[in-house]
Amino acid sequence: MEAYWIDFIFVAGVILAMNFMAGIGVCTVLKKNITPAACELMGAALIGTYCELVTVPLVLLRAPFTVAAWFIVAGYALFDVLGIAALIRMIVKREKVERTDKKGDLAMGVLLYSAVIGLTAFVIYKSIALQHVDEDDTRFVVNAMDMVEHNTLFLTNPATGRVIDNWYGELLKDVVSPYSVFPAAVGYMTGMKAVTAYHSVMPIIFLAMLSCVYYELGERFFPGRRDYKSLFVIFLWIINIFGYYSVYGQETFVMTRLWQGKSVVAAIGIPATLMLLLDVFNDPKDWKAYVLLALVNASMCFFSGMGILLMAIMIMCFALAYTVAKKNPRIILFLGLTCIPNILCYVIHLGLKMWIIR
């Protein structure tokens, strides 16, 4: 079992490192403060957006799964090369990275960071050890496994394993939210079973990213205070650990089924969107916040159909409230532009549904 854990951690670590390198490129282009948490999140949002923009057309064109898998690898390679180039340029020109954190007691800082890392590792272990799987969850895994076996994209009946001619039922939603392609590609490229990538690698990646989301969210509440931000992350992890009050609660999803697309939207997408909406509220003229919001929005469309609707509802509700409070109608236009991926995905879904029914 120890050898398997090493494989899980290694593959997840490589993906997290590639997200980080891609994020350096995003931070450099947007001239954002370069921090490990920010780079990880921005890189993941960029990759998620790329996967949505590339994979949906491939599914509609009924391309082989291997084509989609290699497109994902090519995207990672391209963004990482750009990130490495940006890092080298920064080192050569000796550009200073903006630092906003205040210096504090070194021993206390080490203690708090160790607690954050330790709690994150504990949650990762418990998430895999206590993982919940039911019939609905199994369908996503079967989709991923059948992609590798049949070299198709969502054209296999998950109940019988037979190749079908068209999408229907639950598979129809997967056309515009094809997240299963990603763990299938991870399994295909690493030699793992797709079910292993789904249930063991994905939780490590997403829980590490969730810790980064909490830390960046803490920056909005306690700017420049490393100690307060660390305590904020610790506090939220404790709530998650002891928050089992319902099988449908956010804490339960985080601890037992974060490998699911809808869980990613609930645990990562919602707080990340709230964080960026806070940035918009504080500075509505900051175009960088809109770009990042569009990336997060599109990446959540990739993970789940719930992300298509929920992200758009959250953003437009904020836009209406801000317009009424600040009497600034332009915010509706700017935030509406970030919802273009949602509109396109929903139109494609309705079009396919009407065409299939006809």
Side-chain angles (χ1 to χ4, degrees):
M1 183 64 184
E2 288 78 6
Y4 291 124
W5 270 98
I6 293 174
D7 292 340
F8 304 156
I9 295 172
F10 175 77
V11 174
V14 169
I15 295 174
L16 288 170
M18 291 191 296
N19 290 345
F20 179 80
M21 293 309 304
I24 291 178
V26 178
C27 289
T28 303
V29 171
L30 297 181
K31 296 181 180 179
K32 296 286 288 184
N33 185 23
I34 297 180
T35 64
C39 289
E40 184 63 42
L41 295 175
M42 292 184 191
L46 177 64
I47 294 297
T49 300
Y50 169 80
C51 289
E52 175 72 2
L53 296 178
V54 168
T55 308
V56 171
L58 291 176
V59 174
L60 293 173
L61 293 172
R62 300 169 185 262
F65 159 73
T66 51
V67 174
W70 282 108
F71 260 102
I72 292 174
V73 172
Y76 260 117
L78 173 62
F79 295 132
D80 283 352
V81 167
L82 295 177
I84 293 171
L87 181 62
I88 293 175
R89 178 177 177 274
M90 188 188 309
I91 295 173
V92 170
K93 290 191 173 183
R94 297 181 180 179
E95 297 178 0
K96 293 183 178 180
V97 177
E98 181 185 353
R99 297 187 183 275
T100 59
D101 287 336
K102 300 175 183 177
K103 293 183 179 180
D105 182 72
L106 177 61
M108 181 58 69
V110 171
L111 178 62
L112 290 174
Y113 279 162
S114 299
V116 169
I117 295 172
L119 275 174
T120 304
F122 173 79
V123 173
I124 288 172
Y125 170 74
K126 285 298 182 181
S127 175
I128 297 177
L130 302 176
Q131 199 166 104
H132 172 80
V133 177
D134 58 25
E135 293 81 359
D136 183 50
D137 309 329
T138 304
R139 181 181 68 81
F140 303 121
V141 179
V142 172
N143 285 341
M145 295 178 67
D146 284 349
M147 287 179 200
V148 180
E149 182 176 348
H150 298 286
N151 198 26
T152 59
L153 292 172
F154 302 105
L155 287 174
T156 305
N157 187 328
T160 63
R162 296 177 181 176
V163 177
I164 56 179
D165 296 328
N166 217 330
W167 308 286
Y168 62 87
E170 295 291 330
L171 291 173
L172 193 61
K173 296 188 298 184
D174 296 332
V175 173
V176 290
S177 299
Y179 161 56
S180 297
V181 177
F182 187 84
V186 171
Y188 175 75
M189 292 298 172
T190 60
M192 284 184 174
K193 294 292 183 181
V195 62
T196 303
Y198 232 134
H199 284 163
S200 302
V201 176
M202 294 298 110
I204 299 175
I205 295 171
F206 293 136
L207 286 167
M209 287 174 52
L210 182 55
S211 200
C212 294
V213 171
Y214 289 159
Y215 193 82
E216 283 297 304
L217 189 59
E219 172 64 26
R220 273 62 180 180
F221 299 136
F222 314 107
R225 292 300 302 263
R226 294 178 181 175
D227 48 355
Y228 287 1
K229 288 186 290 185
S230 298
L231 288 170
F232 180 72
V233 177
I234 292 170
F235 175 70
L236 290 180
W237 274 135
I238 291 175
I239 290 177
N240 281 310
I241 292 171
F242 295 99
Y244 186 91
Y245 62 90
S246 168
V247 293
Y248 299 109
Q250 186 264 355
E251 297 88 351
T252 306
F253 271 76
V254 167
M255 291 294 294
T256 63
R257 56 170 83 178
L258 192 54
W259 53 272
Q260 287 181 281
K262 58 188 176 185
S263 302
V264 175
V265 172
I268 298 177
I270 291 177
T273 301
L274 290 174
M275 176 180 69
L276 293 172
L277 289 177
L278 280 174
D279 291 344
V280 172
F281 181 83
N282 292 327
D283 186 3
K285 296 182 180 180
D286 184 10
W287 62 272
K288 303 170 190 175
Y290 298 102
V291 173
L292 293 175
L293 192 59
L295 291 177
V296 171
N297 200 13
S299 62
M300 290 302 108
C301 292
F302 175 70
F303 284 105
S304 174
M306 185 179 73
I308 297 174
L309 295 176
L310 186 58
M311 296 296 105
I313 291 172
M314 287 179 59
I315 291 171
M316 295 317 298
C317 284
F318 172 85
L320 290 172
Y322 188 90
T323 298
V324 172
K326 300 292 185 178
K327 296 180 176 58
N328 183 5
R330 290 183 302 174
I331 199 73
I332 294 181
L333 174 61
F334 296 152
L335 290 176
L337 291 175
T338 67
C339 295
I340 290 177
N342 310 69
I343 297 172
L344 292 176
C345 288
Y346 194 66
V347 169
I348 293 172
H349 175 75
L350 289 180
L352 286 174
K353 190 174 182 179
M354 294 175 62
W355 177 68
I356 291 173
I357 291 176
R358 180 181 63 82

